[in-house]
């Protein structure tokens, strides 16, 4: 076999590979912006997905659905809106959900705490508000 016949046999696959490379070349910039995934972003995404699932689960509760209908809100529309929330909006909503209802004290609770504090102060002898509580001796 001569050198010219070897070149002729190898030139067809080489031309095919070059043509394939040139065809796929425009697709490479699509991957140029892809970077490493860090753990923080993966945790944030998982947390957002978990929060979204919890909200959708709460919206499926019969009592919640009844209250939404009573307030004039379509439950299906509310589910669509929850599904469209961004990760930042979900985080903000979750923060408010955890602090607002749990941190809201009723008037009765505040009165009870103040009453207990005054009883303790009477028992110690700092104040003399209640006649049924005598100072400790």
């Amino acid at each position: 076999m001569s050198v010219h016949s070897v070149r002729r046999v190898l030139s067809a696959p080489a031309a095919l590979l070059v043509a394939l490379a040139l065809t796929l070349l425009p697709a490479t910039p699509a991957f140029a912006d892809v970077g490493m995934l860090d753990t923080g972003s993966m945790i944030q995404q998982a947390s957002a997905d978990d929060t979204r699932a919890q909200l959708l689960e709460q919206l499926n509760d019969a009592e919640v659905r009844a209250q939404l209908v009573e307030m004039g809100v379509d439950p299906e529309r509310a589910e669509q809106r929850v599904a469209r929330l961004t990760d930042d909006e979900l985080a903000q909503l979750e923060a408010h959900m955890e602090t607002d209802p749990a941190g809201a004290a009723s008037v009765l609770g505040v009165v009870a705490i103040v009453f207990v504090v005054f009883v303790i102060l009477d028992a110690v002898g700092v104040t003399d508000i209640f006649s049924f509580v005598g100072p400790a001796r």
Side-chain angles (χ1 to χ4, degrees):
M1 224 171 157
S2 71
V3 175
H4 294 291
S5 63
V6 172
R7 282 187 184 169
R8 201 175 291 164
V9 170
L10 292 179
S11 66
L16 180 65
L17 287 175
V18 169
L20 183 64
L22 289 175
T23 304
L24 295 177
L25 189 62
T28 55
F31 299 110
D33 292 334
V34 175
M36 295 280 295
L37 289 176
D38 63 315
T39 306
S41 65
M42 290 180 68
I43 290 173
Q44 183 179 9
Q45 181 63 38
S47 175
D49 291 343
D50 188 42
T51 303
R52 186 175 284 115
Q54 286 176 348
L55 286 172
L56 290 173
E57 184 179 318
Q58 288 175 355
L59 287 175
N60 286 330
D61 185 32
E63 290 182 28
V64 173
R65 280 180 134 8
Q67 285 183 345
L68 285 174
V69 169
E70 184 180 310
M71 296 168 86
V73 178
D74 182 28
E76 285 77 26
R77 182 136 168 108
E79 288 177 3
Q80 292 172 354
R81 292 194 69 178
V82 167
R84 285 192 308 235
L85 289 174
T86 64
D87 294 346
D88 292 335
E89 291 170 335
L90 280 170
Q92 186 178 21
L93 183 62
E94 184 180 25
H96 285 293
M97 282 176 38
E98 289 181 5
T99 58
D100 288 349
S106 67
V107 175
L108 184 60
V110 172
V111 170
I113 290 172
V114 170
F115 178 74
V116 169
V117 168
F118 282 138
V119 167
I120 292 171
L121 288 175
D122 259 5
V124 174
V126 176
T127 61
D128 188 21
I129 298 173
F130 305 111
S131 60
F132 61 88
V133 177
R137 293 178 192 193

